[in-house]
Each structure stands twice: as C-alpha cells, then as structure tokens.
Amino acid sequence: MRDYSKYPSFQYSSLRFFVLMLMATSLVGCNTIDLNQLGSIGESLQQAFVPADADDEKEIGDEAAAVLLGAAPVLKDAELQKYVNRVGMWVALQSDRPDLPWRFAVLDDPDINAFAAPGGYVFITKGLLARLHSEAELAGVLGHEVGHVVAKHHLNAIRKQARTRLVGMAATQAMEQKGHDSEQIAALVSGAKTIYGKGLDRKDEYHADRLGVVYAARAGYDPYALPAVLQTLDRINPNSSELSLLFKTHPQPADRLEKLDGAMRGTLDKFKGLTGEKRFTAQLARLAR
Amino acid sequence: MPRCILVLILMCSAAAYAADSGSIIESTSLHVTPNGQVRGQLSQNTLIQVLQRDGAWYEVKLPDGRRGYVPLRSVKFGEEKASDSVFGGLWSWLNSSRRSQDDMSSSTAGIRGFDEKELDASEPDYDALKELTGWAAGADSARKYAAALPLSARTVKELDDK
C-alpha cells in the first residue's frame, strides 16, 4: 500500500479525489455522463484527467476500500468475519479470477447493502446479513459482488471516466492554477457525487446477478437462494430508510428477480444445492446472545 | 439463555420466513411436486400461505386447504416493515451500530447507515484495511470449510442475458 505521508499534498489530494470518484461510482453508479449538461462543474471536470494505470487495479481497490472503511467501520467480530471470508473465498474460487487476494468483511452498518471494490474487496452490511436465512443466501449475495469484481464493472467505469477527462486535472486545476486547497476538491467531489448518484448501469447489476447465481451453484449451494433474497428485499417497504441507498443504486428487486429468473429458467432450475441453513443460523445465534 | 435454545428459536424463525402469506402475481399451475403433475390452476391474486422453498419452487397452501407447488417467480410475499424482516432476535444487535439515534436523526432523508454524506466526509482507514488481512481465508481453508458442509464444486455454465 502506498505511504502517502511521503507524497506532496497535491498528489495525495489528486489521488484522494480520484479515489472518492471511484467510490462514488462504486457505490452509486457509473452512468454515462453528458458533460454539456453539467454546467461549470462539468467544464472543470472535462478539463480533468489522471488516467488509471492499466495495472493498478489492486492499488485503486486498496484506496477505494480504505475510503469505504472510513465511512463504515468493520464489525468487530473476528469469528463472524472469518466465517464470511471462508464462504466468500469458496464462492470466489468458482469464479474466473480465483487468484485475486479476496477480502470479505461485514460492515457495522444497519442498512441493507453490499459493496465491491476493485482488486477483490467485498463488503456486506450487518443490516443485510441479519435479513438472510441461510449460507446459500449469503453465498448468492457475495457471489453478486464477486461478479462485479471479476467483470471489473467499477474499474471499467472509472477508466471510462478517465477517457472523458473527468478525474485528475480538475484537482490539478484547483491546486495549481487556482491555488485552492482540498476544500475546492471536496466541492468538486460533492458535485460529482450528486451527478453520479444514480447507481451502476443496470446491465452491470443484472450481469452481476447472473454471475452470482452461477458461482453459488458451482460452489454447491442452492442457486435459487439469491432470487429468494431479492424476494425478501422486495417485500420490505420500499420507503424504509434501510433500503434507501440500495434502492437508489440498484434496479428494483422485482425487476432483478424477473430478469434473473428468466436467465436461470431451463438451466439453473435443474440444479439442486445445499442451503447451509444450520451453519448460518449457528453463526447468527452467537450474535444474538 | 442457553445457546442450544437460542439456536432453536432462530432456526424456527428462519424456517418461519417461508411460512408466510403472499399471493399469486401471475396465473400459474399448481403442481403436486416441483415441476411434477399439475393439480389445478391458480389465477392472479390468489391468496396463498408459503410453507417452504424447494429450489425454484414454493410449496404453498391455499385457503381451501389444498397444497401444492408453484414457481418461485409467481409468488409475491406480503409487504412488511424493515424490522419484521430481521432474522430472529437480532434487532437489538442490528441497532447496536456505532451510530447513535441522535446521529441517525441528523442524517438527511432519514438515512440511517452509510450514505453519500458519510462517504464525502470519509477519511481513508488504512488500519481497517490491514485488519481485513487477518480475517482472510486461504484457498485451502475455504475448501476444507466447504467440504465440511458438505459442499463440492461442480461445473455450471455462465448464463446468457435473455
């Protein structure tokens, strides 16, 4: 991991800006942007550009994950964290990128959500974990996030932004030409987050759903556990605050379920699998003490 | 409370999620077994009680007492509050997050957890990042843990986007 204490403040600020942009896209999406519609922020961003290096997935992922962990701490429960890592790693081993340094973690956050960051980071909130019913459902959720990493959805989105000159030069302009400090960068980031705050492209979410059920099925789990999770989410009042960010950044569960069921029908409905309900229940029972 | 009793309560709770009310969202056949012989036809909005899930199928009970299986996709569960969906007795655990009620009430739009506002204020936590490494599972460890369930890997092709 890079030691930023030895870097000039500009480089740190630029990279932080870049990472925050990455986090914005990781968490809230990567929609195509019409720069002409962004006004002055768009003009600033259009002049901005620090391209992502072709081989820096892990580095970007480290920074992105660190920013995420700064916003939502990890749950201080080593046994549960190790459990989720064992399940997640077994699922990731079924993917096309089994050799990534996979890291899974439960976030101490009551909302219902899960996140992925480039390079092999997968996070699930305890709010979502507490609403699952089995290890197979956990595997399906983690599989969805593993799918995002394997398909490089977030990483490609960032590089797409880089091609449209969205990232670093705004910070350069702010720091060098206008002499402003990180507050101006933060303002740009804030504006960009507002623009980006619509979620990943829907096709990426549907793609991750398809990959998630396949990885879970390959791992020996019941492949219909993820559709069952979507049904769980679909029955919760959509106005619940616990779902606000998830629903803002993902297609509605019913839409995901319809698309996923259509893709699974005739193929994965022929596969049975284990639910692991007892082992999962034992883990959660420990938390209720 | 003895752990075995707590586990039992939570397991009952887990099983109970399926023993729940719902309705048929698209007309479908009622099958004797999953994908088996057809027992009858169910029209849209038929009320059902879901007994259990078997892969892509739910076993359901009708108001007239008949039982059978319907495709997962044809079922819509009744709406519930977020708190109702929490597993077993975990509601207090869920609300023991670092955020206090005061913090929650100050967040915009009633968002209780991680949001863009906190992301914006986030300082990268490299110590937490290092902590993840200590919990990571190696491939052999993961395989061994999977085998204990027992899970075994199998070949499954990727799905097409239909």
Side-chain angles (χ1 to χ4, degrees):
Chain A
M1 190 186 314
R2 188 176 290 173
D3 178 6
Y4 288 104
S5 62
K6 63 187 179 186
Y7 281 73
S9 60
F10 158 66
Q11 286 177 302
Y12 174 82
S13 298
S14 296
L15 183 54
R16 179 153 194 266
F17 174 82
F18 176 79
V19 168
L20 287 169
M21 293 286 287
L22 169 64
M23 291 308 299
T25 54
S26 295
L27 297 172
V28 298
C30 49
N31 292 347
T32 302
I33 296 171
D34 182 351
L35 293 173
N36 296 323
Q37 296 178 355
L38 303 185
S40 58
I41 292 176
E43 291 173 11
S44 297
L45 291 175
Q46 198 157 22
Q47 297 170 27
F49 187 61
V50 171
D53 185 273
D55 299 320
D56 61 0
E57 178 181 3
K58 180 65 169 60
E59 186 178 354
I60 292 172
D62 284 349
E63 300 303 328
V67 171
L68 175 58
L69 293 170
V74 292
L75 186 71
K76 300 297 184 184
D77 188 311
E79 187 172 335
L80 182 67
Q81 298 288 5
K82 288 178 180 177
Y83 170 69
V84 171
N85 270 274
R86 290 188 188 111
V87 174
M89 186 65 184
W90 173 241
V91 172
L93 287 172
Q94 317 308 320
S95 77
D96 292 341
R97 305 184 73 188
D99 297 327
L100 280 179
W102 292 98
R103 301 285 184 268
F104 300 84
V106 181
L107 300 180
D108 190 1
D109 188 294
D111 278 7
I112 300 169
N113 220 329
F115 308 96
Y121 290 103
V122 172
F123 303 99
I124 179 172
T125 65
K126 73 175 188 180
L128 176 53
L129 188 68
R131 288 169 173 86
L132 302 181
H133 304 91
S134 67
E135 191 170 300
E137 291 192 358
L138 174 62
V141 170
L142 298 180
H144 171 99
E145 301 303 331
V146 167
H148 277 313
V149 175
V150 170
K152 300 183 180 179
H153 288 149
H154 300 115
L155 196 63
N156 289 339
I158 288 298
R159 288 178 177 152
K160 187 175 181 181
Q161 302 307 321
R163 282 198 299 274
T164 53
R165 302 173 65 84
L166 277 174
V167 181
M169 282 176 58
T172 304
Q173 184 184 44
M175 297 301 293
E176 293 187 340
Q177 296 180 9
K178 295 183 179 177
H180 289 184
D181 57 15
S182 57
E183 290 181 8
Q184 181 165 353
I185 295 172
L188 283 171
V189 169
S190 177
K193 283 176 180 170
T194 302
I195 295 163
Y196 284 117
K198 295 179 181 176
L200 270 171
D201 192 307
R202 284 172 174 252
K203 68 176 173 49
D204 288 346
E205 294 297 345
Y206 296 136
H207 184 206
D209 280 341
R210 294 196 303 276
L211 291 175
V213 294
V214 167
Y215 298 156
R218 287 176 181 170
Y221 290 108
D222 169 15
Y224 273 83
L226 181 59
V229 173
L230 295 176
Q231 282 191 316
T232 297
L233 299 180
D234 186 50
R235 69 182 308 185
I236 301 174
N237 186 322
N239 296 319
S240 295
S241 59
E242 292 91 340
L243 284 165
S244 58
L245 187 58
L246 181 74
F247 280 8
K248 187 177 180 183
T249 57
H250 290 71
Q252 289 299 304
D255 294 337
R256 292 171 64 184
L257 182 61
E258 183 180 353
K259 291 274 287 182
L260 186 55
D261 179 74
M264 295 172 76
R265 210 178 305 173
T267 53
L268 280 184
D269 52 359
K270 295 180 172 61
F271 284 83
K272 296 286 185 182
L274 301 182
T275 63
E277 188 175 303
K278 188 175 178 182
R279 191 157 77 175
F280 180 82
T281 302
Q283 284 292 330
L284 292 199
R286 197 176 49 75
L287 302 170
R289 281 183 292 191
Chain B
M1 183 184 301
R3 183 171 175 175
C4 57
I5 296 176
L6 196 53
V7 170
L8 189 62
I9 291 171
L10 286 168
M11 287 190 71
C12 289
S13 173
Y17 90 97
D20 222 333
S21 62
S23 61
I24 298 296
I25 53 173
E26 59 181 23
S27 60
T28 188
S29 300
L30 182 69
H31 297 254
V32 176
T33 58
N35 218 20
Q37 185 182 355
V38 174
R39 170 172 287 170
Q41 293 295 317
L42 303 180
S43 58
Q44 190 178 17
N45 298 326
T46 300
L47 297 177
I48 53 171
Q49 186 180 12
V50 179
L51 304 176
Q52 64 172 336
R53 185 172 62 81
D54 184 348
W57 297 80
Y58 280 119
E59 184 182 11
V60 301
K61 183 178 179 182
L62 302 177
D64 62 10
R66 283 185 297 161
R67 290 188 179 201
Y69 289 82
V70 296
L72 175 144
R73 64 179 176 279
S74 66
V75 171
K76 168 81 173 177
F77 286 98
E79 185 178 300
E80 62 180 21
K81 293 184 293 185
S83 57
D84 295 335
S85 65
V86 175
F87 194 108
L90 292 179
W91 186 240
S92 60
W93 172 73
L94 199 57
N95 284 288
S96 65
S97 298
R98 65 198 168 90
R99 294 178 178 82
S100 69
Q101 292 298 323
D102 288 344
D103 291 337
M104 292 175 191
S105 63
S106 65
S107 55
T108 58
I111 293 173
R112 300 172 63 234
F114 182 87
D115 60 13
E116 296 109 309
K117 203 173 175 183
E118 291 195 86
L119 174 65
D120 197 34
S122 166
E123 289 294 331
D125 190 340
Y126 300 109
D127 290 337
L129 196 64
K130 289 176 186 169
E131 205 172 1
L132 302 188
T133 303
W135 298 326
D140 289 343
S141 168
R143 288 190 186 99
K144 194 175 294 182
Y145 196 67
L149 200 54
L151 295 162
S152 54
R154 52 192 176 180
T155 302
V156 180
K157 288 182 181 177
E158 288 196 8
L159 300 175
D160 296 328
D161 182 13
K162 293 180 181 174

